[in-house]
Each structure stands twice: as C-alpha cells, then as structure tokens.
Amino acid sequence: MRTAYFDCFAGISGDMTLGALVDAGADFEKLKLELAKLDIKDYELILSKVVRSGISATDIEVRVHHDHGHHGRSFTDIKQHIEQSSLSDSVKAKSIAIFKRLGEAEAKIHGKSIEEIHFHEVGAIDSIIDIVGTCICLALLEIDKVFAGPIPTFHGMVKIAHGTFPLPAPATAEILKDVPWRELGIEGEIVTPTGAAILAELAEGFGPMPAMTLQSTGYGSGKKDFGIPNVLRVMIGEQEEPGHKCCKHPEVAILESNIDDMEPQVYEVVMERLFAAGALDVYLTPIQMKKNRPATLLSVICDPEKISAMGNIIFEETSTIGIRIDRQSRMCLPRITVTVDTKYGQITIKVAHKNGEIINSQPEYEDCKAAAAKHGVPVKLVRDAAIAKFYSQPCD
C-alpha cells in the first residue's frame, strides 16, 4: 500500500504541499500538463530550489498575471470549473471535496450557507492550483493512503478579506477541530486554511509515521522565516503486511446493497464520493429481485477502518435502507511505475513483480488516451507501442 506521510513540524500550506510532493518525485512537467486541463489562463507555475535553515527544499510559486480573484469565487463556480475539465474523476472528486470543506467552514464561521460564501483567498487562482495540483501529484505518485503528524500550535493575528482575525484563522480552527495538535507556539500563520483542508480531507489519521519501507522524502518550502526550517516534509513509502514480502494479504471489507428504486444517473455521484473517500473499488451489477424487478447491486471494496465512512455515503446518496458487510482477504502483487518514450510521447506503465520477476505490465490508460487524441490514432496503437517499448528496453 503506497503511503504518503505529511510531517508538519513547521506547519502546512497549499504551496508547501505542492512543493513537497514534487520534491518527493511527482513529475513537474506532467503536473503542468494536467493543470492545463483546468483551462485557467494568466498564471505561471515557477519551480525553484531553496535552502531553509540548512534544509534544501522545493519552492513552487503560482505567479498570477491578473487579479481574477479580487471579487471572489463561489463554491459552485469552482466546482463547475473543476467538473468541466478533462481531469480524472478521482482528481476532480478529491479537489471538490477539499474546497467543500473550506466552504463549509467559512459558512459556519460567517453564519451563511455554502452557496452564499465567496472564496476570497482560497478562491483565487493560486489556491485552485495548489489544491488541484496536490490531488494531481498524489495521483502521479500513485498514493493509496495519506497520514499526517499532529498539527503544531501557533498564535498571533492575520489580515484577511473580512478584517483582522486571531490565529489560527477561524476557518483553520474549524476545519481542524477533531485533529490532534502539539505545542510549538510559533508567532505567525504556519497552517493556512488551504493546508488544513487538504489534511482534513485526505489524511486517514494523525500521529506517528506508520511502519513502512521508505522510498522517497520531499521538502516543500514556505515563504516566511519563523526561526525554524520553514518546510513541510512528505515521506513516501510502501506499507507491507508482516511476513509477506512477495504478495500482500491485507483484509478488506465489502459493502453491498440491492437497489431497485433509484435514478441511474445518481450512481455517478455515488461512485465519485466513494472513490474520493478512499474506496479501493466500486462496481455495479445488474440483478433480478423479487417479482422480477430489475435492480442494481452496489458493491464497495474498502479498508475495514473505512466501513463507517462508506456506509454513511451509501445511506446519504442512495435510496437503500440496508447494507451487507463482509470481510475478505486478498492477494496483491507489489507494483512500481516506469515511463517509456514512444513515438506518441511518454507513457507511464504500471509493473507488477513477484520474487523479482515481472508478472504483469499495463500502460496507464489516461496517458494512452491523451496521446491517442493528440496524434489522432486509436488508443490500442498507443498501448501496443508502449508495451513494445517497455519490453525492448533493458531492465534496471
């Protein structure tokens, strides 16, 4: 299980998160190509290497050429803009969920509905890029789980669109109300609402780093000097079941429900929410129920600790009043990703191993789809070219 651990020893912000993930191995050029699918103009993404109190880190700046966010953007505007893009469904769902957390926090603070809230800081172009870019980087790194350390305390005052407010900013405190904090006492804003929402939405737990085989570490730079290394550390590794070095046998939960009275269009939303919340797989099966009624079997595979979260989504979004729950073991081969150069461009390939031998290799569909569209050829030609290139090149 590929895992990312956010060590927030000096806090977290949107740009620090983006920098740390790129520093940990997310391809910056692929990130920019994916962000271009948002069709947001008049900004430039700039990467540089900096040193913060002796630690080398990646600094990413979103340089906006025109102030499009001066009057604010509504949650609905941002949601529609993301939905209308050609980004993957998973990236869309996670990005929208993060913005929804921000909107709900702002709405509660100001006594309004989320539809009435206009994002001043978080609705600006740079925050959209930070949030969507973070979700893109997690997908590029093929992260299955996210964990984080406790949130460091800080104090002072901050000026925002509504005036001068105490730190933590009210929205930040609201978003992180159920998250453990540790005493640090820095004066200044070291945790922003954007950074808080990213963690609150994506992290499955807060505490010490989980046991895993560490594969890469990245440092994302903050902009201010607080007297400590102002960086966010992201540690990426593989969690394995004890005693199973070749194949993993983790336990999974399977939630199922028979549904015969729901509009079929709603299943799209159901699946998006379940995947965004961490479902390992979601699928639909046509079935026949009593009195020969056609119906749909909704099946969700997830980690056992996510049973409650998955169940709540199913109850909220569907018409069912009951869910069956089963637990099963599964075998999973370790996997890595490699990139091959073809005449259609670079294609990512997922490679599964067993005892050091390649068992399976599959080109990334989204890469093949994009390359096929660009060159006006069938997807299968791009896929075949990628496979041929992979097996013709020397193995490392």
Side-chain angles (χ1 to χ4, degrees), residues 7 10 23 51 67 72 92 114 135 141 154 203 216 222-223 233 237 244 255 282 285 296 305 307 348 376 386 391:
D7 182 10
D23 202 55
V51 176
D67 187 6
K92 288 180 185 179
I114 191 171
C135 297
L141 292 168
F154 56 103
S216 67
K223 301 296 190 288
R233 179 164 62 178
H244 297 284
L255 286 71
V282 182
T285 307
T296 299
E305 63 264 26
I307 289 176
T348 301
Y391 282 105

Side-chain angles (χ1 to χ4, degrees), residues 14-37:
D15 59 338
M16 292 170 73
T17 304
L18 204 55
L21 291 171
V22 169
D23 202 55
D27 190 298
F28 184 63
E29 295 303 319
K30 285 189 176 182
L31 168 63
K32 290 194 293 184
L33 288 174
E34 288 295 304
L35 285 172
K37 296 178 181 180

Side-chain angles (χ1 to χ4, degrees), residues 56-370:
S56 174
T58 293
D59 179 77
I60 292 185
E61 177 186 357
V62 182
R63 187 170 296 171
V64 181
H65 301 311
H66 300 285
D67 187 6
H68 294 279
H70 178 70
H71 299 294
R73 297 169 182 242
S74 70
F75 170 71
T76 300
D77 292 337
I78 295 172
K79 181 173 181 287
Q80 289 178 346
H81 198 90
I82 295 173
E83 286 178 336
Q84 291 168 2
S85 73
S86 58
L87 291 163
S88 71
D89 290 341
S90 176
V91 169
K92 288 180 185 179
K94 289 179 181 178
S95 301
I96 291 170
I98 293 170
F99 270 109
K100 186 178 180 182
R101 279 201 181 250
L102 284 166
E104 289 174 342
E106 292 281 357
K108 182 174 181 179
I109 296 300
H110 300 297
K112 298 180 179 180
S113 67
I114 191 171
E115 290 78 14
E116 297 176 287
I117 291 296
H118 278 70
F119 295 84
H120 297 281
E121 290 84 5
V122 298
I125 291 178
D126 57 346
S127 289
I128 296 176
I129 298 303
D130 286 342
I131 289 172
V132 178
T134 291
C135 297
I136 290 171
C137 285
L138 291 171
L140 290 174
L141 292 168
E142 295 193 319
I143 300 301
D144 300 305
K145 287 188 175 185
V146 173
F147 294 93
I151 306 300
T153 61
F154 56 103
H155 61 273
M157 305 294 290
V158 63
K159 289 184 178 180
I160 58 177
H162 299 284
T164 301
F165 283 77
L167 291 174
T172 301
E174 175 63 26
I175 292 168
L176 296 176
K177 62 183 180 181
D178 295 321
V179 171
W181 294 66
R182 64 176 180 83
E183 186 175 358
L184 182 62
I186 289 290
E187 183 172 0
E189 188 174 30
I190 61 174
V191 178
T192 67
T194 299
I198 289 171
L199 286 185
E201 183 61 35
L202 301 181
E204 298 186 23
F206 293 81
M209 186 177 78
M212 62 182 182
T213 301
L214 190 61
Q215 296 172 333
S216 67
T217 301
Y219 294 88
S221 171
K223 301 296 190 288
K224 298 180 180 179
D225 182 5
F226 294 112
I228 61 173
N230 186 17
V231 295
L232 168 68
R233 179 164 62 178
V234 173
M235 308 175 80
I236 294 176
E238 191 77 21
Q239 287 184 278
E240 296 191 19
E241 291 295 305
H244 297 284
K245 295 184 178 180
C246 293
C247 301
K248 306 175 194 176
H249 297 69
E251 186 180 70
V252 294
I254 301 177
L255 286 71
E256 293 187 334
S257 183
N258 298 351
I259 304 173
D260 64 356
D261 57 353
M262 194 173 84
E263 290 290 330
Q265 296 93 332
V266 178
Y267 284 109
E268 179 182 12
V269 176
V270 177
M271 296 179 79
E272 284 182 354
R273 284 197 61 189
L274 289 168
F275 276 123
L280 300 174
D281 201 2
V282 182
Y283 53 97
L284 307 174
T285 307
I287 58 174
Q288 204 81 12
M289 293 178 61
K290 60 185 178 181
K291 300 181 180 180
N292 289 323
R293 289 200 304 266
T296 299
L297 170 63
L298 171 64
S299 301
V300 182
I301 301 177
C302 66
D303 293 326
E305 63 264 26
K306 288 185 173 292
I307 289 176
S308 179
M310 297 296 154
N312 288 337
I313 293 173
I314 294 172
F315 281 132
E316 290 172 3
E317 295 287 358
T318 76
S319 59
T320 191
I321 57 174
I323 301 172
R324 299 181 299 277
I325 301 173
D326 189 19
R327 291 174 181 257
Q328 297 183 9
S329 295
R330 63 172 186 162
M331 296 178 65
C332 301
L333 292 174
R335 66 181 183 180
I336 61 172
T337 60
V338 298
T339 301
V340 297
D341 291 313
T342 73
K343 63 181 180 180
Y344 305 111
Q346 290 191 332
I347 304 296
T348 301
I349 297 183
K350 296 179 182 178
V351 184
H353 290 82
K354 182 180 180 182
N355 297 329
E357 296 184 2
I358 296 176
I359 302 299
N360 193 15
S361 59
Q362 288 293 334
E364 183 66 46
Y365 171 72
E366 291 295 336
D367 285 3
C368 295
K369 177 182 175 183

